Amino acid sequence: MQKLNFPEYRFRFKNSENKVSIFDRIRKKFIILTPEEWVRQHTVHYLIEEKKYPESLINVEKLIQLNGLNKRYDIIIFNPDGSIFLIVECKSARVKITQEVFDQIARYNLALDSEYLMISNGLDHYYCQMNYTDKQYTFLKDIPDYK
């Protein structure tokens, strides 16, 4: 797999039926290793090991209803009160981060009301903080560490 713009992390891998899987520490199971999953697993490790978010507040790949359609978000971090702190959209390193990608996470956020958004293709990472009062967002250099 491609080297990503994250610190080096140790992962568990498994080979089965000519397919490589990677262990997801949040879902507690092996997941088929795709380029997008490679980015998602690096992001999960980054959030836990660098930003110090507790695993108990992180959710990975769950369905949400959006305008009557089922959509699947990549990563969500909850606040201890159950509200949503951060939504993360992960893309393969081959996918350029475009306005269309940003629009996707913005649509998800219409249903989720997160404080922060993060988009990553493993090479480029974008972070923003939502301001619901003024209906705008501010791009940041990084997301805050867990308090």
Side-chain angles (χ1 to χ4, degrees):
M1 280 285 161
Q2 182 174 354
K3 170 102 174 78
L4 301 177
N5 188 12
F6 283 105
E8 293 285 325
Y9 298 116
R10 295 177 58 87
F11 297 103
R12 289 175 43 206
F13 298 98
K14 179 174 82 171
N15 249 325
S16 172
E17 299 173 21
N18 292 329
K19 291 191 174 137
V20 176
S21 296
I22 188 169
F23 188 77
D24 181 316
R25 64 197 278 183
I26 302 300
R27 292 179 274 184
K28 308 253 187 280
K29 65 181 182 177
F30 282 93
I31 307 295
I32 298 289
L33 184 57
T34 63
E36 183 176 317
E37 192 63 42
W38 185 237
V39 173
R40 187 169 22 256
Q41 292 307 314
H42 275 80
T43 305
V44 165
H45 281 254
Y46 171 76
L47 293 168
I48 293 167
E49 294 176 29
E50 312 309 321
K51 298 313 228 168
K52 307 301 181 199
Y53 289 96
E55 288 184 36
S56 62
L57 296 179
I58 300 174
N59 222 318
V60 175
E61 282 238 299
K62 296 279 195 228
L63 283 177
I64 57 168
Q65 281 266 317
L66 193 60
N67 298 327
L69 300 173
N70 286 334
K71 299 290 183 182
R72 188 177 294 275
Y73 61 75
D74 285 307
I75 303 167
I76 281 185
I77 296 182
F78 291 95
N79 286 306
D81 69 4
S83 62
I84 297 174
F85 179 78
L86 172 72
I87 305 172
V88 182
E89 180 62 29
C90 298
K91 297 293 183 190
S92 157
R94 292 180 290 223
V95 175
K96 237 175 142 40
I97 305 295
T98 62
Q99 184 65 48
E100 187 177 321
V101 173
F102 191 82
D103 290 347
Q104 178 184 358
I105 197 170
R107 279 192 303 276
Y108 290 0
N109 198 38
L110 289 173
L112 299 171
D113 292 329
S114 179
E115 288 180 57
Y116 294 90
L117 306 178
M118 174 182 173
I119 304 170
S120 178
N121 64 3
L123 303 174
D124 298 310
H125 318 294
Y126 296 93
Y127 315 93
C128 57
Q129 183 174 18
M130 302 303 297
N131 178 335
Y132 291 102
T133 306
D134 298 334
K135 297 184 177 163
Q136 61 187 23
Y137 49 84
T138 305
F139 280 93
L140 307 170
K141 288 189 188 311
D142 202 350
I143 54 170
D145 292 347
Y146 185 73
K147 297 175 186 62

